[in-house]
Amino acid sequence: MRDRGPHSIPLVALGTGLLWFGWYGFNAGSELRIDAVTATAFLNTDIAASFAAVVWLVLAWNFEHKPKFLGLLTGAVAGLATITPAAGYVTPTSAVIIGIVSGVVCYFAVALKNRLRWDDALDVWGSMGWEASSAW
């Protein structure tokens, strides 16, 4: 049976929004108190995810000539995963750089996965696997 892609883009958007909201609690709430580190983690979580999403969209526009909302959402998740180890300890400028780099690296990782026809329906290898290896 042929895979017809995602079945419900609105549900993917809702899931990404819920994930993004929960990620604030994960990154900022992990300190178990409220101080400057908490505020920085909260801000950097949003910055990195936003920049990664937009970079993914721009790359798709440039290489595929058709940007997709699904790509924007996948880029946001890549940014969330990438900023996590550093969220409370880097400057917002560094969060921008982390978001941009994660958008680029993860876009091309997913493109490689697609070109090699690997079975990864949720793009976990391309959007989260690279971040896990960079944390080591």
Side-chain angles (χ1 to χ4, degrees):
M1 187 160 124
R2 193 172 92 95
D3 181 18
R4 297 177 191 249
H7 299 285
S8 176
I9 298 297
L11 289 179
V12 173
L14 177 63
T16 302
L18 290 170
L19 184 70
W20 197 328
F21 179 73
W23 222 282
Y24 289 129
F26 182 62
N27 284 354
S30 292
E31 193 185 15
L32 300 177
R33 63 178 153 189
I34 299 174
D35 59 9
V37 175
T38 306
T40 302
F42 190 93
L43 179 64
N44 286 343
T45 298
D46 201 39
I47 289 172
S50 299
F51 271 86
V54 171
V55 164
W56 190 296
L57 190 68
V58 168
L59 288 171
W61 198 345
N62 189 34
F63 289 105
E64 301 168 29
H65 305 293
K66 54 179 179 179
K68 299 175 186 158
F69 186 54
L70 185 63
L72 179 94
L73 298 172
T74 305
V77 172
L80 290 170
T82 306
I83 194 62
T84 296
Y89 305 103
V90 297
T91 64
T93 304
S94 298
V96 168
I97 293 167
I98 290 169
I100 290 170
V101 170
S102 70
V104 171
V105 169
C106 294
Y107 175 83
F108 286 112
V110 169
L112 174 65
K113 182 241 357 160
N114 290 339
R115 192 170 37 251
L116 296 175
R117 296 182 178 200
W118 290 348
D119 185 19
D120 182 16
L122 301 176
D123 290 333
V124 173
W125 180 83
S127 62
M128 292 193 163
W130 288 93
E131 288 82 10
S133 64
S134 69
W136 294 99

